[in-house]
Amino acid sequence: MPTDPRQPPPPARTGPDLSRRSVLRGIGAGGAGLALGAAAPLLTTGCTQRADRYTPDGRLILSYWEKWTGSEGDAAQAVVDAYNASQDGVFVQRTTISDMQNKLMLATAGGNPPDIAGTWSWVVIPYAEKNALTPLDGYMRDHGIQRDDFIPVYWDMCTHRDYLWAMPSTPASLALHYNRALIRAAYEHDPGYFDRHNLDPHAPPPDIAGFEKLNDALTVVDVKRGGKTQRVRYTDLTPEEKARPDAHFSLVALGHSPYEPDWYVPMYWLFFGGRVWDGESKVTPDDPGLIAWLRWIESYPKRFGPNNLQRFSSGLGQFGTAQNPFMTQLIAMQLQGPWNFTFINTYAPHLEWDVQAFPSLDPVALPNPTLTECDVFVIPNGAQHPDEAAEFIAFASSQVGQEILNLGQRKFSARKETSAAFFRDHPNPHIDTFIDLSRSENARPTPNMGIWKQYDEELRQATSSVFKLTQTPEEALKEACARAQWKLDRERKRWDRVGEARLEEWEREAR
């Protein structure tokens, strides 16, 4: 049962030790670049303690900031409504917040955060390190919630330095989406090519080398021959035409490009068995998996031409529209999450598509790899009603709460157990594949390091240089990792100064 909202709140916790300067530095690191003039009012007004608010029938109002809009926001509201109907002491009030990363940090620094926030798992470490979150260990333990109830990778994404800082809200894994009709057409055009390269006419191969052979067969180009333009497949080009791609042909359709979309470009190394750091203190510019990943990136402009790729991408529509190149069949294979079903169903319901694990460099040593992502619930440090906030998060983390939210968002539950009704009612025919991938031994989240978003940006710049053929993989990695190492060293020095006191405080709060 929720605590009596009319009782005085518990003593305020130690406020976050976020100076205005550190907040703004954090914003800059996140790449948001919020102007100082916009930050000042929030910092000023945030210093005032809010009075409790109650509904007319005496229920304590909890503030819940969430970033979702549209159907995703509707699903979050359904969980809120179910919780509000389940008890009569607390009323959760959801507010949609844009630019959540910056506004949450500013509100927390100002001592005026919401009671609950819905954010991303990648903020857990930097926010925890800046003392901007409330440890949830004791709260979840009191509600009987434990790691064994959840798919391990998602629970672990919510922990840092052995403390629990968040709870999974909507998990995801990534899979290769592919167009079955386009693969079949490529086979019918040249079955001998498929036979020579041992390709399946119904599905992509599990290895990167075979995947790129299929990519070539699916790619369509316009080539100048005898003063006329002919539309042919890339595999039909002559060696001379392939040798100078920008000079001899232009792209009409691609089998695959790591830049369509470009969201995961800095993470494709996981399909090559790469490691971006040693888990302690050093980044790894010489890692063979990282080198193999960037050589794969480099193979695209070398085969198809850097100018051709740029022109082709500039003509493609955006994700979330009917002009998405996977919907218009200008891209035959794409790395995406379970949310893609909603867009396919909306904009291209007749598309013949399927999903499977993205191929790896060595499918025997690295089977079923995937990148896992997760949105999370957190209680910001300084929240006025952490006990009541934890009650709501516990409800949203229950099997009922997880299934309401994730069925509404067409995703899957982060819990190990899922009801038969959830599968029966889920419209995505491939949801099982995403769940299986999340349980794979090669399911990987983003690296567990506080500077990851900055390191991610460095790797993104490295891939861009390689994709434009302005740097070799080795040169790009060396520069990117040197900058990342400097940032990692700076973070470690800061932790050396505050770490001991921070751990003592967390230990008291986590009980």
Side-chain angles (χ1 to χ4, degrees), residues 116-127:
I116 308 149
T119 183
W120 305 271
S121 60
W122 58 263
V123 310
V124 167
I125 295 175
Y127 277 40

Side-chain angles (χ1 to χ4, degrees), residues 150-353:
F150 289 80
I151 299 172
V153 70
Y154 298 117
W155 180 278
D156 294 343
M157 291 164 74
C158 296
T159 65
H160 177 55
R161 297 191 188 276
D162 296 326
Y163 292 95
L164 181 66
W165 298 101
M167 286 298 294
S169 56
T170 59
S173 59
L174 301 185
L176 178 68
H177 291 59
Y178 61 92
N179 186 315
R180 295 200 309 263
L182 292 181
I183 293 177
R184 186 169 61 247
Y187 170 75
E188 291 171 351
H189 171 76
D190 189 354
Y193 179 87
F194 275 64
D195 290 342
R196 289 194 300 277
H197 297 289
N198 196 30
L199 297 177
D200 184 338
H202 305 292
D207 63 298
I208 290 288
F211 177 74
E212 290 304 333
K213 291 296 183 185
L214 177 61
N215 190 4
D216 289 349
L218 290 166
T219 295
V220 178
V221 304
D222 278 344
V223 59
K224 293 282 188 183
R225 288 175 176 169
K228 297 182 179 179
T229 300
Q230 295 183 24
R231 182 155 296 180
V232 302
R233 292 181 181 272
Y234 177 81
T235 49
D236 294 329
L237 293 172
T238 66
E240 292 74 20
E241 290 166 338
K242 290 179 180 178
R244 296 179 60 202
D246 282 335
H248 288 293
F249 63 85
S250 59
L251 293 168
V252 176
L254 266 175
H256 174 264
S257 169
Y259 274 85
E260 298 303 336
D262 66 352
W263 308 341
Y264 310 113
V265 166
M267 284 295 300
Y268 272 101
W269 46 263
L270 70 88
F271 301 109
F272 294 80
R275 295 178 69 232
V276 294
W277 75 316
D278 65 0
E280 295 290 338
S281 60
K282 298 294 182 184
V283 301
T284 52
D286 300 322
D287 180 81
L290 294 189
I291 297 292
W293 156 59
L294 282 187
R295 285 181 178 157
W296 174 70
I297 294 285
E298 185 183 44
S299 74
Y300 279 78
K302 284 189 171 180
R303 278 145 67 205
F304 304 126
N307 295 333
N308 277 341
L309 287 165
Q310 185 176 13
R311 280 194 295 269
F312 178 73
S313 293
S314 66
L316 299 178
Q318 294 183 345
F319 181 80
T321 71
Q323 287 71 46
N324 179 326
F326 189 71
M327 314 300 171
T328 57
Q329 307 195 62
L330 293 178
I331 290 285
M333 302 183 290
Q334 194 176 62
L335 184 64
Q336 275 292 359
W339 52 80
N340 211 29
F341 163 80
T342 300
F343 298 100
I344 295 172
N345 201 40
T346 301
Y347 298 118
H350 302 298
L351 202 67
E352 289 186 50
W353 64 287

Side-chain angles (χ1 to χ4, degrees), residues 64 66 68 71-87 92 94 168-170 377 391-409:
Y64 165 31
E66 184 54 81
W68 291 315
S71 60
E72 292 183 327
D74 293 342
Q77 187 60 46
V79 177
V80 170
D81 292 343
Y83 178 68
N84 286 340
S86 72
Q87 43 76 46
V92 175
R94 181 178 69 95
S169 56
T170 59
F377 296 114
E391 294 266 1
F392 170 73
I393 292 177
F395 177 84
S397 302
S398 67
Q399 183 170 340
V400 170
Q402 279 282 290
E403 294 188 8
I404 292 173
L405 177 59
N406 286 291
L407 186 58
Q409 293 200 7

